[in-house]
Structure formats: structure tokens, C-alpha cells
Amino acid sequence: MNSGYPRPLVLPALRGMMGDWIYYSCLMDLPTLADRVDFADDIHTSTQLSDMIQRQLKETRAKEIAAYLASQNERLFNALVVATYRGKPNWHALSSVESHAGASNELAQLGDATLASVGFLTLQGDERLFALDGQHRLAGIKTAIEDGLSQDPFDKVPVIFVAHGDDEAGLERTRRLFTTLNKTAKPVSKGDTIALDEDDVMALSVRWLVDREGDLFCGDRIAFVPTNNLPPSNVVSLTTIGNLYDILTIFFSRANTPLRKKRPDLKDARPESSELDAYFAFAKDIFVSMRRHFPELDEFFSATNTEPVVCRHRTEEGGNVLYKPLGLDTFSTVIAYLSDNMPLDDAFERAAELPRQLQEQPYTGLMWNPVRRTISNRHRVTTRELLLHMLGSATMPADDLLDRYRKETGNKDALLPDPVV
């Protein structure tokens, strides 16, 4: 826990009430926040549980958030919710507000209730403060300060203070608030990321492909669906915009190229313009390579009217694996794996030797259910490993793969597919 801050602190604040909670919305700079606010461990009587919470926080997003604070000029945080107990925090409401000389007296009619909600919160330094909501952000702030974050002046972060009772009833009340805040928090959807995110390299590249490179994915060539599920009625699109995002994620994070980065680094820190242009060019090159090595995809991209092409390759009996989002995802992963041992273009060429009809091994019984005529995502790892096995690049022993294949297909006599020559 923090050691206390000897100097009293005066924070500009708004006082409000929601339900039966009185709260104070304040501003704190990053070093003060890092020094005086701790994690929500005092709401648990179990030391092991408190240790687990702090360990998880430090092992997850702290470094990502610290990098965001250090490198992103357009950074902004939501308010942290902080509980305070012990000590003597004091609220000082403003008694009056006046307009600047010469200005119309716009503030003359402020009522007592409005004035009572504006003022200052003072902290003496002997309070105990811990975050109820925003613990990952707090962990990132602490990491950034420990790493020597340099800002002049330091960022100020919005903080909402609530009072915590240091007894069993207070513990229960605070725990309930903690879980409510964290259960109701909803992550940004994949669709919103694709449409709006200005830092996520894959989202930026998807929008660039759709907006700027219209010859590939203009109009109905791409389904504007944030998932990998194509509507059954769609007979004109190659795949979904959500699947396009996933394909770029695979190539940007997994393929052996100079642009390869870890996924968090691709999602949270917008590159410089020159590097971003390189990702855009790479995104286009991926599909140029697909066209060059897979004739059925070139047929789609070359067609003025895509419906006859899609209907020919996406049939009730199965059709071509590359006309299913899961199939494109799987082949992209296989190509990325192959690129560890050969140039990327050679990896495309090698993958093009694989069978691509869903009615064939290794898809039927795994990716494709021939009875229900449906696609299944449950066996994607086994399907990928079988494809790599056929290319002589499996990452698991053949005996283990055969055992897995038989269990997942329910066929105890199944044999591994033959290698492609």
C-alpha cells in the first residue's frame, strides 16, 4: 500500500449524487495518482486473493498502457473510480461565482444547489486510496512513472472519489460497487474498432482497402458484417469486413516480415505515417499474392459481376474453402506459419498446392459437416495442423495429430491425409 503523501492536496472537484453514493469528480496528475492510489486489495480479507489481483494486473496490460502514455499524443483516459477511507478528506463548496469584469453577468442566477456542487476536495495525506474501476489504467500509470515517463506538464486524469466504510458493511458495499462497475463495463466491439479506431493498424488498413483500393473490395465485394459469419443470403461477397480484419491481423502479427509486431503493439500505438503506408502496401500485396497463386480468387477479383463466381464456388455441397471466411482465415494462418522457413511469396505458392474443396480431406468432418452442410470453427487447430502436415511443416508429432484427428472426426480408422508433392 502507499506510504502516505505528507503534503496536503487540493483538488478542483464537482460534487454529485447517484443512487445512494455521493461522489467527487476531480483531476489528478499522473505522478500523484501513481503515488497515492493503490489497487483494490483492502476490499478482500484474503491475502492470496489480493496478491492474485495485483499479479494479474501487472502481468496483463500495464506495459501496453505505459507505452500508450509515452508515445500517443492523442491519448485520453476515462475517469478512474477511487475509494477513500481513513484520514479526513474535506469538501469545500464555492460560496459565490462572478463573471469577469466587463462581461455580462451570466453567472448571476446560479442557484445554491449548483454552487454547492462546485468546489475543492482536500486530502491531508493520511487517507487510504484504492481504485475500484480503472485498475489496468492505474497499473499502466504506475509502470510509466517507474519507467521514467517524461511529460511537461504531466497529464491530468479524471478521478471519481467515493467514500469507503472500513467495516464489514462498508466492505460489502464497496465490493458490490467494484463488481458492478467491472461487470457492466463493455469492451469496444470489433465493429466499432474497424469503423472508428485511429490507432489499430488492422482497422486503419481495412478502411484503407475498402475506401482507397476499391478494385479489391468495393461495393458488395465485401460484406459489412463485423463477425466472420456471412449471411446465408449473401451471394456476391468474398468474405466479411470482420474476417478481413482477422486476416490482416494474422499476416501483420504472425508472418515473417520486417513489419511483424505483437498484436497489442499493432492495436494500441499508431505508427508514423511512413510505417503506416508500409502496412497499407502490405495489406494490398497480401491479396495481390492471393490472386496470383489462387486462380479461384483471381476469378472473383477480376469479375465485374461477382454473383456467378460466388455461386459456383460457394455451394450447398461445400464448394471452395477460400469462399468461406473460416477457410480464408485458416489458409492465412498456414501461409504465415510457412513464412518462418521460406519467403512469404514462396509460402503462398506452397499453400496453393493444398486441396481446396470442402468435400475433401482434411476439411470434411472437421471444418465441413457434410450431413448438416455447415461450417464448424471447433476444429480449426486440427485442420490447420493437418494442412501443415500435408506440406511437411506440422508443429506436432504425427502420432499425436492422428490421435487428435480420429477423436475429432469420430472415425477410429481415419488416416492422415497424404502429403502434397
Side-chain angles (χ1 to χ4, degrees):
M1 297 299 297
N2 75 53
S3 57
Y5 199 81
R7 177 174 58 85
L9 187 64
V10 180
L11 302 173
L14 296 174
R15 181 183 186 275
M17 177 177 287
M18 189 169 183
D20 59 1
W21 285 98
I22 296 174
Y23 66 88
Y24 302 88
S25 183
C26 305
L27 298 175
M28 294 183 75
D29 63 48
L30 296 182
T32 302
L33 189 63
D35 185 72
R36 299 186 78 157
V37 181
D38 288 292
F39 301 113
D41 53 3
D42 277 356
I43 64 173
H44 298 286
T45 56
S46 166
T47 303
Q48 290 87 346
L49 184 57
S50 297
D51 291 343
M52 183 191 75
I53 290 173
Q54 295 206 35
R55 185 170 61 252
Q56 286 180 321
L57 288 167
K58 292 176 181 177
E59 290 177 354
T60 52
R61 298 198 63 219
K63 289 186 177 180
E64 300 168 27
I65 294 173
Y68 170 80
L69 288 170
S71 62
Q72 177 55 266
N73 290 330
E74 297 178 0
R75 58 191 175 270
L76 187 67
F77 276 171
N78 292 332
L80 284 75
V81 179
V82 172
T84 175
Y85 71 103
R86 300 181 186 168
K88 294 181 179 180
N90 286 312
W91 167 247
H92 306 273
L94 295 181
S95 58
S96 65
V97 178
E98 296 180 359
S99 301
H100 288 293
S104 61
N105 198 6
E106 298 169 331
L107 304 179
Q109 303 304 317
L110 290 179
D112 291 341
T114 301
L115 287 173
S117 67
V118 181
F120 298 91
L121 185 68
T122 58
L123 302 174
Q124 301 306 313
D126 55 350
E127 301 85 5
R128 302 290 295 274
L129 309 176
F130 56 87
L132 294 178
D133 187 43
Q135 294 202 101
H136 289 100
R137 279 165 279 156
L138 176 62
I141 291 168
K142 286 179 177 289
T143 298
I145 296 300
E146 289 171 1
D147 290 346
L149 179 68
S150 177
Q151 294 179 347
D152 186 18
F154 278 102
D155 291 340
K156 291 185 180 293
V157 177
V159 179
I160 297 174
F161 286 98
V162 295
H164 163 70
D166 191 17
D167 54 24
E168 187 53 40
L171 286 169
E172 180 179 340
R173 175 174 162 84
T174 304
R175 279 196 296 267
R176 184 178 296 112
L177 179 60
F178 175 86
T179 54
T180 298
L181 290 169
N182 287 278
K183 280 194 301 185
T184 56
K186 187 176 181 180
V188 177
S189 72
K190 186 177 177 182
D192 287 343
T193 295
I194 294 170
L196 302 171
D197 201 299
E198 288 296 331
D199 299 312
D200 188 303
V201 177
M202 287 74 66
L204 291 164
S205 299
V206 166
R207 298 203 298 268
W208 184 84
L209 282 174
V210 172
D211 292 340
R212 300 272 299 276
E213 292 299 317
D215 58 323
L216 289 171
F217 294 110
C218 63
D220 294 334
R221 290 176 178 272
I222 190 83
F224 285 82
V225 180
T227 68
N228 284 5
N229 299 320
L230 265 170
S233 59
N234 187 305
V235 292
V236 293
S237 303
L238 176 64
T239 188
T240 70
I241 200 167
N243 182 228
L244 180 56
Y245 177 94
D246 291 343
I247 291 169
L248 295 183
T249 302
I250 292 167
F251 279 101
F252 290 178
S253 67
R254 183 67 186 82
N256 188 13
T257 75
L259 292 173
R260 178 161 64 180
K261 289 184 180 179
K262 295 179 180 179
R263 293 191 185 194
D265 295 334
L266 290 163
K267 292 170 69 68
D268 296 332
R270 183 186 178 110
E272 297 294 330
S273 296
S274 59
E275 187 180 3
L276 191 55
D277 287 341
Y279 279 107
F280 291 161
F282 183 28
K284 183 176 182 179
D285 287 346
I286 290 166
F287 293 96
V288 169
S289 295
M290 285 187 177
R291 292 185 68 169
R292 182 165 62 250
H293 293 291
F294 299 99
E296 61 270 47
L297 293 183
D298 184 60
E299 186 180 359
F300 173 86
F301 288 119
S302 300
T304 302
N305 178 12
T306 60
E307 182 173 351
V309 180
V310 172
C311 290
R312 184 161 54 253
H313 292 293
R314 189 185 297 144
T315 67
E316 290 187 0
E317 291 74 27
N320 194 292
V321 67
L322 297 179
Y323 278 72
K324 300 289 188 180
L326 180 58
L328 279 171
D329 187 287
T330 301
F331 263 69
S332 298
T333 305
V334 167
I335 293 166
Y337 269 80
L338 293 174
S339 72
D340 284 336
N341 299 305
M342 63 184 72
L344 185 58
D345 195 64
D346 291 350
F348 276 98
E349 183 176 1
R350 183 70 173 135
E353 299 172 8
L354 291 165
R356 297 194 287 279
Q357 292 300 310
L358 285 167
Q359 302 93 314
E360 301 176 322
Q361 272 190 307
Y363 313 109
T364 187
L366 292 175
M367 183 183 292
W368 177 249
N369 186 321
V371 177
R372 297 181 179 178
R373 298 181 176 181
T374 56
I375 286 285
S376 172
N377 189 38
R378 293 175 57 194
H379 311 294
R380 62 187 304 160
V381 174
T382 302
T383 305
R384 180 198 72 207
E385 285 300 315
L386 288 168
L387 292 172
L388 288 170
H389 162 80
M390 295 172 73
L391 296 173
S393 300
T395 65
M396 66 173 59
D399 289 344
D400 293 344
L401 181 57
L402 177 59
D403 182 60
R404 184 171 182 148
Y405 184 35
R406 287 175 172 175
K407 286 181 179 179
E408 294 188 19
T409 58
N411 180 1
K412 62 182 179 60
D413 298 318
L415 298 176
L416 294 176
D418 295 331
V420 297
V421 179

